[in-house]
Amino acid sequence: MAPYRILYQTPDSLGYWIIAHGTSRKEITEHWEWLEHNLLQTLSIFENENDITTFVKGKVQGIIAEFNKNHDVKEDDDTDKFKEASSKFRKLFGMPDEEKLVNYYSCSYWKGKVPRQGWLYLSINHICFYSYLLGKEAKLVVRWADITQLEKSATLLLPDVIKVSTRANEHVFSVFLNINETFKLAEQLANIAMRRLLDNKGFELDRSLPKLKKKSPKKVSALKRDLDARAKSERYRALFRLPKDEKLDGHTDCTLWTPFNKMHILGQMFVSTNYICFTSKEETLCSLIIPLREVTIVEKADSSNVLPSPLSISTKNRMTFLFANLKDRDFLVQRISDFLQQTTSKIYLERELNGSLNSSDDEVYSHHGSLLSCSPQQTLASDIERTFNLNDNSVPTASEALMTMYRRRSPEEFNPKLAKEFLKEQAWKNHFTEYGEGVCMYRTEKTKELVLKGIPESMRGELWLLFSGAINEMTTHPGYYEDLVEKSMGKYNLATEEIERDLHRSLPEHPAFQNEMGIAALRRVLTAYAFRNPNIGYCQAMNIVTSVLLLYAKEEEAFWLLVALCERMLPDYYNTRVVGALVDQGVFEELAREYVPQLYDCMQDLGVISTISLSWFLTLFLSVMPFESAVVVVDCFFYDGIKVIFQLALSVLHANIHQLLGCKDDGEAMTVLGRYLDSVTNKDSTLPPIPHLHSLLTDNGEPHPEVDIFKLVRSSYEKFGSIRADVIEQMRFKQRLRVIQTIEDTTKRNVVRTILTETAFSIDELEELYVLFKAEHLSSCYWGSSSNPTERHDPSLPYLEQYRIDVELFKGLFALLFPWANGAHSDPLAVRFFRLLDENGDALLNFRDFINGLSVLCHGDLTEKLKLLYKMHVLPEITHEQEEPDSAFEATQYFFEDITPETSISRDSKGRSEKDDGFVRVTFKTEKVKKLSTPDYRHYLKLWNEETKPKRESTKDLPKLNQSQFIELCKTLYSMFSEDVAEQELYHATATVTSLLLEMGEVGKLFTSCGRKDPSQETNSESSLCRRELVDLKSTQDPPDLGDVFIPAELEDKPSPCEDAKQQDVSEELAPMQDIKLEDSSPKETGTSSAMLISDDETKDDTSMSSYSVLSAGSHELDEKLQCEDIADDTVLVCSDERPSERERRRIPNGGGLPHSTSIDKDWAITFEQFLASVLTEQALVRYFEKPVDVAACITNAKNVRKVGRPLLSTSDYEISLSG
């Protein structure tokens, strides 16, 4: 229950009613005050308790309903008990509201040999444990993304244990009331985390869940129900090979009348949005798929003792299916009717989009269902027989399977084989007659037997479509492939380049791919899929598989077979890191350990399993077996799934067990396996012999005896047919954790190795920093960020670019790790730092950029740190019209370009002239400068490279700091010192340096103004006076090196300080300035100057000045008031005229910059050398910038703060520990 509650109770009742509750005393007090003002005063008008009770309840419920309506609060299915648990979870572990609790369980956590009884909380992103017994508290927080192993095990002492392993620790939980439910949920949440690491697909709550039923457990949350529904839908789709967006609505026990053996088979009926499916309790006895698009009639038949609660479903191909023993028949019929109505509406909509709406329901059904309800030979040859030429008018396109166009038979030679092929075709036709055909066919053990004997050449493509489920997606997406081909043709990217490179390597021995027709068809299919699924694009081995699909299926059919293969049957196989194949490689190792244990250790020592499994699995044995034998493997794969590949691989190992045990190295083992696979033959094949280009790994010994493919397949089913699909999925989960975390560790090692030589950080420090950097990205994925996670994490990019952070994430890391992050003004400084580090202008930093910046602050010398601080403030300001991603590039130009109108115009015109030069440019995400010509681009790359090497960079290249930038620099310095132990001393030192720099800027302004006066507008006397003053000053003492000063054009019309009215003022100013020396300057030495700060002694006594003042010259006229600015609310501004003793004070708003008026002197500027020399005069500043940084302590503190993903208020709040 909530810790604070307001209860309503009548005097004659023992019960009470909760009016309000809160998690804190403050919150409940606010509720009570509201009740006093709005409710209690009204109760006096009622005469009895019943009226008061009715009024109070109605009032509170009305307030809640009105609040929900005004704030668009969606109905929450979570129970009050679960809401309280969720609130407690967030409070205990400091989680934000975005972190959703899924469920919680009572269990024990083992710390050493001592169990701690408490609660295990499973949220979307974390697994947490809390215990508080006998004054001892235990807390644990682990990210799902950090888990390397999750397993359920049993020991003698602990029969049921869940073990959670990370890279650093192992956590053991036991004593669960329902360990199976807990473990399944943990598996599912860990899978979601791995999916996010793999392709950024985060978790989104399904809002279309059914309402909570009365019999459901009290504490089940909407999230838990959502995840349960997802798990059931996944199993349902895998069992019946349905499209990946199909959602299971429900299932029920029933019986199905099977006419082929005149029996009622016990099983389960599954109903989803677009399908009705059935599977028998006895596996492989019978299964059935009925698409609702095929259904014409659903009716309730009369019940009887023999056939209770029957339900009849008829389809358009005149098949009727009779279900019985349905527990809730009326409800089931209603659900099916609702889905049927939706299906009809979809078909009407598709017809409208096609411009041919028909008013007849029967015609609508028959149009869309003809592909499945009629015989495959007729419909698949007629309905999709549309020749389209979308590539080039001169290139013919394949309107039918390539095999039929290039089949060369010699009747005299192949008659016996043709006769056997004819018998196979007849057997399948007889099967269709008895069991039905198309999608609605009864699938029984006899169907499997026919597949194992080999599918006839003429039926192979149609049955592949049927068994893989691709027929469903193709039927429901008419015209999709043609549109995709049309859109993708003529477009080029990295995937299309790789496709072009591999086109002529795809079954080059087959005549179908020795001419342009076959090559063009393969190009269209692969390119269309690359555009359909950019996450996969194109992967090697896809070309081999697709070429075989094209031999037996038309282009569109081959495309949908490829979709089924890549997205459902071989998940994650063909992405950039072949994660799925690596996962199944791990599964294969586990199966080998279990089924051929005597060979496993030998294979592990030789390292053969990892070598063979990738080539076998990625190409479904097509690249390692003769073609006519490998297609039989593909037949079985489309019928029975991945278990066929595992069975066959184990059979190959088992058949060569004795030879492999005698092998001394991996080369010898590969030779044994290669010779065996080359000898696998298909004696029933009607095809002419096709040369097998797989390398014959022979040792000049006798060739291996021929192995019949059908015997090999049947042997694999007999010896290893006990492997179940659900067991494979369980193994896949375990291996997926290992593989993805191994990939993440490899990425980390490669990143650290790449930048190790560029920085002074140690390997351990870099690895810790990388973990923090990645964790910041993950937290933003969990709880939101200003940028899209897919932009910041792209696994296809090089290692350094895979994880990137935006400016908001950088602010968080800046506050945790960077030594300059002090005070309330860390964020503005972080933004400046981010813009400086973001050299390519994409508003994202990779790990190298991040480390380069941190390295300067932690390991750089005084000059490097000051140069960095200077450059952060010399960047051009971001305006509202200017987009942030361009600011860093413009800043780079500002550093390295000589910005003159002539240069800018010539560069722009040159870029425009070379923009459309007819060449195709393949640009990557990190390339931002697109309009520069090649020489310019290389020139800027060279300049940027020099910029990243401080030792080679000359301080002369740095632009000057103008007055507004100088003010911002002063504000930054003061904010940096706000929490330092030597705060007062640093403030005084900064005031001294500021005063000195102001004087330097004034002197530089005077010389510049004199030197840039237009000769045509000067009198001779004025010119001679200016020259004489400059010569006299130089002869007395050389001024500081002021360098070149930018003179804005708009200042041309200002009066010259050399005018007669100003000559005396100028002489008075120059006189004291002649004695200034950079080494020992101070305000005391410039006592007669008009632009100076109050003395150190006065500042120490004046407590109202917040210990600092910043001055900036208002204009070049000496009698104008000087202004300064602070950033805190209690800042005092000191203004001075020609009499230093007369001062006035006034406040300015927090963060307010100087107004855009004459208060900013555009002629005023200082150089980096002046800034550096001035700082070196103050030992307090030198000590501050040379102070060593304890990197290990910073990292440790950051890890503690980030343990739950965000900073908390105090150390005790965020420290996750096990006390006692």
Side-chain angles (χ1 to χ4, degrees):
M1 300 296 288
Y4 298 96
R5 293 176 294 163
I6 299 175
L7 308 178
Y8 176 79
Q9 184 179 28
T10 57
D12 56 348
S13 172
L14 297 177
Y16 54 83
W17 188 59
I18 300 176
I19 292 181
H21 62 80
T23 57
S24 65
R25 188 181 185 90
K26 179 181 177 183
E27 183 181 354
I28 205 68
T29 303
E30 291 175 355
H31 291 325
W32 178 255
E33 290 175 352
W34 187 93
L35 290 171
E36 281 185 326
H37 288 93
N38 297 279
L39 193 64
L40 296 183
Q41 298 175 1
T42 314
L43 300 182
S44 59
I45 65 174
F46 295 100
E47 297 180 355
N48 58 60
E49 295 292 340
N50 291 334
D51 292 343
I52 293 176
T53 301
T54 304
F55 173 76
V56 171
K57 288 186 176 181
K59 182 74 172 175
V60 173
Q61 290 172 349
I63 291 169
I64 294 173
E66 186 68 22
F67 177 85
N68 292 344
K69 180 180 178 181
N70 294 338
H71 292 77
D72 193 26
V73 177
K74 297 181 179 179
E75 184 177 354
D76 193 352
D77 287 334
D78 290 344
T79 61
D80 291 338
K81 185 177 180 182
F82 187 84
K83 292 176 185 175
E84 290 169 10
S86 184
S87 177
K88 182 181 179 182
F89 160 73
R90 294 193 185 97
K91 186 177 180 181
L92 283 174
F93 303 104
M95 296 292 179
D97 292 339
E98 293 83 1
E99 183 67 7
K100 303 297 184 184
L101 179 66
V102 180
N103 212 352
Y104 58 102
Y105 302 93
S106 173
C107 70
S108 291
Y109 171 66
W110 288 81
K111 182 193 175 186
K113 297 181 179 180
V114 181
R116 300 292 185 89
Q117 184 65 31
W119 291 93
L120 184 69
Y121 296 87
L122 305 183
S123 68
I124 288 296
N125 304 302
H126 297 86
I127 176 173
C128 307
F129 177 82
Y130 179 79
S131 173
Y132 186 80
L133 291 174
L134 303 176
K136 295 182 178 180
E137 185 181 62
K139 275 187 184 180
L140 177 71
V141 178
V142 178
R143 274 194 180 95
W144 291 116
D146 294 333
I147 291 177
T148 58
Q149 190 172 5
L150 181 67
E151 58 181 345
K152 182 175 65 172
S153 60
T155 62
L156 293 175
L157 297 176
L158 299 171
D160 291 320
V161 167
I162 293 179
K163 191 180 295 183
V164 179
S165 303
T166 63
R167 292 175 177 85
N169 299 298
E170 184 179 278
H171 309 286
V172 178
F173 303 92
S174 65
V175 195
F176 289 93
L177 294 177
N178 190 340
I179 190 170
N180 291 328
E181 177 189 331
T182 309
F183 185 71
K184 285 181 181 178
L185 180 58
E187 269 189 333
Q188 204 171 357
L189 292 169
N191 251 331
I192 291 173
M194 294 304 107
R195 176 58 57 187
R196 180 184 280 119
L197 288 177
L198 189 60
D199 56 16
N200 289 308
K201 289 184 180 178
F203 176 82
E204 293 183 4
L205 179 62
D206 186 356
R207 296 291 181 184
S208 60
L209 289 174
K211 295 292 181 184
L212 190 65
K213 297 178 181 178
K214 293 182 179 179
K215 64 179 181 180
S216 299
K218 290 284 186 179
K219 66 175 185 176
V220 172
S221 66
L223 271 176
K224 175 69 166 59
R225 292 164 53 218
D226 181 7
L227 289 168
D228 289 344
R230 287 174 190 235
K232 290 178 181 177
S233 293
E234 285 176 10
R235 289 194 294 269
Y236 168 65
R237 291 192 296 265
L239 183 60
F240 298 104
R241 307 279 169 78
L242 300 178
K244 60 181 181 179
D245 56 352
E246 191 68 16
K247 292 181 182 178
L248 178 65
D249 186 70
H251 60 89
T252 182
D253 292 336
C254 66
T255 59
L256 172 66
W257 170 254
T258 50
F260 52 86
N261 60 1
K262 306 293 188 296
M263 289 178 61
H264 291 283
I265 298 178
L266 182 63
Q268 278 191 322
M269 175 194 285
F270 300 84
V271 179
S272 61
T273 315
N274 300 293
Y275 298 88
I276 299 171
C277 301
F278 173 87
T279 184
S280 58
K281 291 285 187 183
E282 184 181 344
E283 201 172 1
T284 72
L285 187 60
C286 179
S287 66
L288 180 67
I289 301 172
I290 309 173
L292 292 182
R293 63 179 181 270
E294 289 288 299
V295 174
T296 55
I297 300 173
V298 178
E299 60 181 352
K300 293 181 284 187
D302 294 333
S303 295
S304 65
N305 293 332
V306 179
L307 206 63
S309 302
L311 178 66
S312 173
I313 299 177
S314 301
T315 60
K316 290 196 287 282
N317 59 350
R318 297 198 175 101
M319 291 182 71
T320 301
F321 304 96
L322 186 62
F323 298 92
N325 292 286
L326 295 163
K327 293 180 180 179
D328 198 347
R329 184 177 61 168
D330 293 339
F331 176 77
L332 182 64
V333 170
Q334 183 60 48
R335 294 299 292 170
I336 294 174
S337 299
D338 292 342
F339 291 139
L340 271 174
Q341 190 173 3
Q342 295 174 15
T343 304
T344 307
S345 301
K346 291 177 186 175
I347 295 174
Y348 267 116
L349 182 60
E350 289 174 2
R351 293 292 297 275
E352 280 184 334
L353 294 175
N354 292 334
S356 56
L357 178 63
N358 196 312
S359 60
S360 169
D361 286 0
D362 292 337
E363 291 182 13
V364 171
Y365 274 124
S366 63
H367 172 79
H368 286 266
S370 60
L371 185 62
L372 305 176
S373 58
C374 303
S375 66
Q377 292 93 322
Q378 296 173 358
T379 57
L380 295 180
S382 59
D383 192 57
I384 319 173
E385 184 127 340
R386 291 174 296 190
T387 301
F388 56 94
N389 191 346
L390 300 171
N391 186 25
D392 188 347
N393 291 331
S394 61
V395 180
T397 56
S399 59
E400 52 186 280
L402 295 179
M403 186 65 78
T404 61
M405 304 170 67
Y406 292 96
R407 183 176 296 162
R408 296 178 298 179
R409 291 179 176 174
S410 174
E412 295 78 11
E413 184 180 353
F414 291 104
N415 269 335
K417 294 184 178 181
L418 287 176
K420 197 166 186 178
E421 184 80 359
F422 177 77
L423 291 176
K424 283 185 182 180
E425 292 179 3
Q426 285 302 118
W428 275 100
K429 289 178 182 178
N430 294 337
H431 184 78
F432 293 148
T433 303
E434 187 176 0
Y435 295 89
E437 57 187 329
V439 179
C440 300
M441 175 178 66
Y442 292 99
R443 305 176 194 213
T444 66
E445 193 68 33
K446 189 173 180 181
T447 313
K448 181 178 177 180
E449 285 295 320
L450 287 175
V451 172
L452 294 184
K453 290 178 181 177
I455 298 176
E457 298 280 337
S458 59
M459 296 181 178
R460 184 163 272 142
E462 299 155 5
L463 291 174
W464 283 358
L465 277 174
L466 189 65
F467 295 140
S468 67
I471 191 73
N472 294 313
E473 290 165 300
M474 188 174 76
T475 307
T476 54
H477 294 82
Y480 176 86
Y481 174 69
E482 289 92 333
D483 293 339
L484 205 56
V485 170
E486 192 170 10
K487 291 175 184 177
S488 62
M489 280 301 163
K491 296 181 181 178
Y492 299 95
N493 55 22
L494 192 59
T496 57
E497 286 188 3
E498 293 177 348
I499 289 170
E500 289 296 326
R501 185 184 61 213
D502 287 349
L503 283 177
H504 295 277
R505 305 176 188 173
S506 310
L507 289 186
E509 65 272 20
H510 198 284
F513 297 100
Q514 293 171 359
N515 61 79
E516 189 56 30
M517 179 178 284
I519 295 296
L522 182 60
R523 177 187 294 115
R524 285 191 293 270
V525 173
L526 290 174
T527 305
Y529 186 78
F531 275 80
R532 167 189 164 86
N533 192 343
N535 290 332
I536 292 179
Y538 172 76
C539 175
Q540 283 189 335
M542 285 174 68
N543 60 318
I544 297 174
V545 175
T546 307
S547 59
V548 174
L549 299 179
L550 279 168
L551 288 175
Y552 295 101
K554 301 172 191 176
E555 275 192 35
E556 184 178 13
E557 296 167 354
F559 170 79
W560 287 112
L561 282 169
L562 184 62
V563 169
L565 203 69
C566 295
E567 298 176 11
R568 289 190 286 107
M569 302 189 73
L570 296 175
D572 302 323
Y573 260 60
Y574 298 106
N575 58 23
T576 53
R577 296 181 285 188
V578 292
V579 171
L582 293 173
V583 168
D584 280 352
Q585 175 184 304
V587 173
F588 181 54
E589 289 183 9
E590 279 196 67
L591 293 172
R593 184 192 298 118
E594 180 179 352
Y595 288 97
V596 282
Q598 66 273 38
L599 185 61
Y600 175 75
D601 292 336
C602 173
M603 297 292 283
Q604 285 294 94
D605 294 339
L606 296 176
V608 174
I609 291 182
S610 59
T611 306
I612 62 176
S613 54
L614 281 182
S615 60
W616 292 4
F617 295 167
L618 277 172
T619 64
L620 304 176
F621 285 93
L622 287 166
S623 63
V624 294
M625 268 190 195
F627 172 77
E628 60 274 9
S629 302
V631 291
V632 176
V633 179
V634 179
D635 293 341
C636 300
F637 169 77
F638 278 125
Y639 183 80
D640 245 351
I642 190 64
K643 65 171 287 186
V644 172
I645 306 300
F646 288 125
Q647 290 172 186
L648 196 65
L650 289 171
S651 291
V652 172
L653 293 183
H654 189 269
N656 294 276
I657 188 168
H658 298 297
Q659 295 93 319
L660 291 171
L661 287 173
C663 292
K664 298 178 182 178
D665 54 41
D666 57 341
E668 188 178 351
M670 292 301 297
T671 300
V672 169
L673 294 173
R675 290 179 60 228
Y676 179 85
L677 290 171
D678 284 334
S679 68
V680 177
T681 58
N682 180 2
K683 296 179 181 179
D684 295 346
S685 175
T686 60
L687 301 176
I690 299 174
H692 182 43
L693 296 188
H694 176 249
S695 299
L696 294 176
L697 301 172
T698 61
D699 52 0
N700 298 323
E702 291 293 324
H704 196 282
E706 289 186 351
V707 179
D708 185 70
I709 181 63
F710 297 106
K711 290 181 180 178
L712 180 61
V713 170
R714 190 166 295 279
S715 171
S716 72
Y717 271 92
E718 292 171 355
K719 293 177 181 177
F720 309 108
S722 58
I723 299 174
R724 295 168 52 89
D726 55 346
V727 175
I728 290 175
E729 285 304 316
Q730 182 70 32
M731 291 181 174
R732 276 178 166 177
F733 162 74
K734 179 181 177 181
Q735 296 298 327
R736 191 176 294 115
L737 283 178
R738 181 189 60 80
V739 168
I740 293 180
Q741 295 294 15
T742 301
I743 290 174
E744 292 294 311
D745 290 342
T746 302
T747 300
K748 179 176 71 174
R749 285 195 300 271
N750 287 334
V751 168
V752 169
R753 186 168 60 246
T754 301
I755 64 177
L756 182 62
T757 57
E758 304 173 9
T759 177
F761 291 112
S762 67
I763 293 180
D764 292 338
E765 288 172 343
L766 284 174
E767 289 186 347
E768 295 282 3
L769 289 169
Y770 180 84
V771 170
L772 286 170
F773 187 85
K774 174 183 166 185
E776 198 70 19
H777 164 82
L778 291 176
S779 296
S780 70
C781 293
Y782 302 158
W783 303 324
S785 174
S786 58
S787 61
N788 188 349
T790 57
E791 295 176 357
R792 291 181 279 108
H793 178 213
D794 187 350
S796 64
L797 291 177
Y799 290 120
L800 273 171
E801 298 291 333
Q802 285 187 16
Y803 288 107
R804 293 175 291 178
I805 58 174
D806 59 19
V807 66
E808 293 301 320
L809 303 180
F810 180 76
K811 287 179 184 178
L813 287 175
F814 183 84
L816 287 174
L817 293 169
F818 287 66
W820 290 356
N822 290 323
H825 296 274
S826 290
D827 282 359
L829 184 60
V831 172
R832 290 180 179 276
F833 207 170
F834 182 89
R835 292 179 58 213
L836 182 65
L837 297 175
D838 182 22
E839 294 182 355
N840 61 0
D842 62 353
L844 294 171
L845 294 184
N846 62 28
F847 187 62
R848 170 182 272 156
D849 299 332
F850 175 77
I851 288 298
N852 286 342
L854 183 60
S855 181
V856 173
L857 267 59
C858 293
H859 300 292
D861 58 27
L862 174 68
T863 304
E864 289 175 334
K865 292 179 181 177
L866 291 177
K867 186 186 296 184
L868 186 68
L869 184 65
Y870 183 90
K871 287 161 65 176
M872 285 163 58
H873 292 82
V874 84
L875 288 172
E877 294 295 327
I878 300 176
T879 62
H880 293 291
E881 296 81 7
Q882 179 180 345
E883 295 182 359
E884 178 139 1
D886 298 332
S887 60
F889 171 61
E890 292 176 5
T892 310
Q893 288 180 320
Y894 185 64
F895 274 106
F896 297 110
E897 281 189 27
D898 180 15
I899 303 177
T900 59
E902 294 78 15
T903 307
S904 301
I905 293 171
S906 63
R907 182 173 287 110
D908 290 343
S909 62
K910 185 175 181 181
R912 283 193 296 269
S913 66
E914 296 187 9
K915 180 180 179 181
D916 297 321
D917 55 3
F919 289 93
V920 177
R921 290 182 173 85
V922 180
T923 58
F924 297 90
K925 294 183 180 179
T926 55
E927 180 185 344
K928 298 298 175 187
V929 189
K930 296 180 180 178
K931 294 186 178 181
L932 295 177
S933 60
T934 304
D936 286 339
Y937 180 68
R938 292 176 180 173
H939 172 67
Y940 280 108
L941 279 178
K942 182 179 179 181
L943 292 176
W944 291 337
N945 188 41
E946 291 176 356
E947 172 64 16
T948 62
K949 298 178 181 178
K951 293 181 181 179
R952 296 177 58 186
E953 181 186 47
S954 171
T955 56
K956 297 289 185 181
D957 295 329
L958 296 175
K960 293 191 175 183
L961 201 70
N962 64 35
Q963 196 172 80
S964 62
Q965 293 167 341
F966 174 70
I967 293 171
E968 294 299 320
L969 175 59
C970 294
K971 290 164 64 176
T972 297
L973 286 171
Y974 284 117
S975 66
M976 287 167 57
F977 307 146
S978 62
E979 297 178 7
D980 197 275
V981 290
E983 181 177 351
Q984 294 297 325
E985 186 181 2
L986 288 167
Y987 282 167
H988 298 154
T990 304
T992 302
V993 171
T994 302
S995 173
L996 182 58
L997 289 172
L998 285 170
E999 296 290 355
M1000 291 180 182
E1002 287 294 321
V1003 173
K1005 179 187 68 175
L1006 291 173
F1007 290 122
T1008 304
S1009 298
C1010 291
R1012 62 181 297 277
K1013 184 69 177 177
D1014 189 352
S1016 64
Q1017 297 180 4
E1018 289 181 336
T1019 61
N1020 293 333
S1021 60
E1022 289 173 342
S1023 301
S1024 60
L1025 177 62
C1026 288
R1027 285 194 295 269
R1028 188 164 55 252
E1029 288 173 348
L1030 291 174
V1031 170
D1032 292 341
L1033 183 59
K1034 286 185 177 181
S1035 63
T1036 306
Q1037 177 182 348
D1038 291 337
D1041 182 13
L1042 299 175
D1044 297 328
V1045 179
F1046 293 117
I1047 307 300
E1050 57 268 28
L1051 299 181
E1052 294 269 354
D1053 56 352
K1054 288 196 175 183
S1056 169
C1058 299
E1059 294 178 1
D1060 292 339
K1062 303 289 183 180
Q1063 288 177 7
Q1064 186 62 32
D1065 292 335
V1066 172
S1067 301
E1068 291 176 3
E1069 179 179 1
L1070 292 180
M1073 292 297 294
Q1074 292 171 0
D1075 297 327
I1076 291 180
K1077 294 183 179 180
L1078 292 180
E1079 290 77 16
D1080 55 357
S1081 62
S1082 70
K1084 295 177 183 179
E1085 296 169 352
T1086 57
T1088 58
S1089 173
S1090 62
M1092 65 175 274
L1093 291 174
I1094 52 180
S1095 67
D1096 290 350
D1097 294 335
E1098 290 179 31
T1099 305
K1100 292 175 183 176
D1101 297 335
D1102 191 350
T1103 58
S1104 65
M1105 294 193 59
S1106 297
S1107 303
Y1108 86 94
S1109 302
V1110 185
L1111 276 134
S1112 62
S1115 70
H1116 62 274
E1117 298 181 15
L1118 299 179
D1119 58 349
E1120 186 168 338
K1121 291 181 180 180
L1122 301 175
Q1123 299 190 16
C1124 69
E1125 184 179 282
D1126 192 1
I1127 49 178
D1129 291 332
D1130 59 347
T1131 301
V1132 177
L1133 186 71
V1134 180
C1135 295
S1136 174
D1137 54 13
E1138 64 275 6
R1139 297 184 302 278
S1141 61
E1142 297 179 8
R1143 302 180 181 93
E1144 60 179 357
R1145 299 175 182 179
R1146 59 188 177 92
R1147 294 179 180 271
I1148 62 172
N1150 180 27
L1154 287 174
H1156 296 286
S1157 65
T1158 57
S1159 60
I1160 294 295
D1161 191 342
K1162 297 181 179 179
D1163 287 343
W1164 191 98
I1166 60 170
T1167 64
F1168 171 70
E1169 292 93 334
Q1170 293 169 333
F1171 172 65
L1172 175 62
S1174 302
V1175 171
L1176 289 174
T1177 63
E1178 292 296 326
Q1179 283 302 310
L1181 292 174
V1182 172
R1183 286 195 301 271
Y1184 177 83
F1185 285 105
E1186 288 186 340
K1187 181 170 56 178
V1189 177
D1190 189 349
V1191 179
C1194 291
I1195 293 175
T1196 302
N1197 176 65
K1199 286 167 65 177
N1200 286 334
V1201 175
R1202 281 292 184 255
K1203 276 201 173 183
V1204 292
R1206 63 171 187 168
L1208 299 178
L1209 299 178
S1210 65
T1211 305
S1212 60
D1213 286 334
Y1214 62 71
E1215 185 174 2
I1216 306 300
S1217 62
L1218 297 171
S1219 60

